[in-house]
Amino acid sequence: MKILSFILLMFSSTFCFAQMSEEQEIQLIQSQFGMEKRELIEKYMNLSETEAPAFWVVYQNYESERQAIAKERIMLASRYVENYDQLGDDEMDGLAKKTIANNLKRSKLHAKYYTKFKKATSATQAAKFLQVDDYIHSTLRLSMQEEMPFIGEME
């Protein structure tokens, strides 16, 4: 829950989530993050009136798929932090493999949607979107990583 709370606080300090389940926290985080991310994307992309409608349709589909991947990543990080001092070799192996698989899912999602964004707008706009999307998520992942103990750090 420490990771979930941290992410939530990154995006808004007005929520009270003491009685929320992990699932509810993730939904709240994704909802808040989604609104703020969309505003950032809208400003950065500077889409023409002819590009915007098609772009946002593709974007909504992309976000739906991306959120499932992000939810999985948050859950993995949460399990790691909550059980850090109890994880044996087998559990670490499982978490590492799931993290690698999660990274691959995100890369595949980018590859899939690059084509869709390019068709909806242009190659330049599609690349621009992937660049800013990657920047946003890399920044978030780095912030999360800074809050997580390194393996062996707590021994």
Side-chain angles (χ1 to χ4, degrees):
M1 292 291 199
K2 179 181 175 186
I3 290 292
L4 297 176
S5 300
F6 170 75
I7 294 168
L8 185 60
L9 290 173
M10 282 182 57
F11 294 103
S12 177
S13 60
T14 61
F15 291 108
C16 178
F17 50 90
Q19 298 297 321
M20 289 186 187
S21 70
E22 188 172 55
E23 180 75 25
Q24 290 170 321
E25 282 188 44
I26 292 172
Q27 288 174 346
L28 183 59
I29 291 165
Q30 287 186 328
S31 174
Q32 181 67 25
F33 175 66
M35 289 185 289
E36 292 181 20
K37 181 182 175 191
R38 184 180 167 108
E39 289 175 20
L40 288 170
I41 297 293
E42 190 169 7
K43 287 177 185 175
Y44 179 75
M45 293 300 294
N46 195 28
L47 297 161
S48 71
E49 288 183 26
T50 57
E51 293 173 318
F55 174 86
W56 291 113
V57 168
V58 175
Y59 178 81
Q60 281 306 119
N61 294 330
Y62 168 80
E63 276 297 296
S64 293
E65 290 186 47
R66 186 206 54 78
Q67 284 183 356
I69 295 167
K71 179 181 175 182
E72 181 181 324
R73 180 169 214 58
I74 292 168
M75 298 288 279
L76 287 168
S78 182
R79 296 295 172 268
Y80 172 75
V81 170
E82 289 171 9
N83 300 302
Y84 173 81
D85 56 348
Q86 303 163 24
L87 295 172
D89 202 44
D90 290 340
E91 292 87 5
M92 285 291 191
D93 184 49
L95 282 172
K97 287 177 180 177
K98 287 176 183 175
T99 300
I100 291 166
N102 185 269
N103 289 337
L104 288 172
K105 285 178 188 176
R106 188 159 181 279
S107 292
K108 288 178 182 179
L109 185 69
H110 268 187
K112 173 182 173 181
Y113 275 89
Y114 172 76
T115 303
K116 292 179 182 206
F117 280 116
K118 183 171 83 169
K119 185 176 179 182
T121 58
S122 68
T124 300
Q125 289 289 51
K128 189 176 178 181
F129 169 74
L130 291 183
Q131 183 180 39
V132 72
D133 187 68
D134 197 45
Y135 176 81
I136 291 167
H137 292 284
S138 294
T139 302
L140 179 59
R141 286 174 61 184
L142 178 61
S143 294
M144 283 176 55
Q145 189 68 40
E146 288 175 348
E147 295 298 314
M148 294 171 45
F150 278 91
I151 297 169
E153 179 180 341
M154 305 293 275
E155 294 175 358

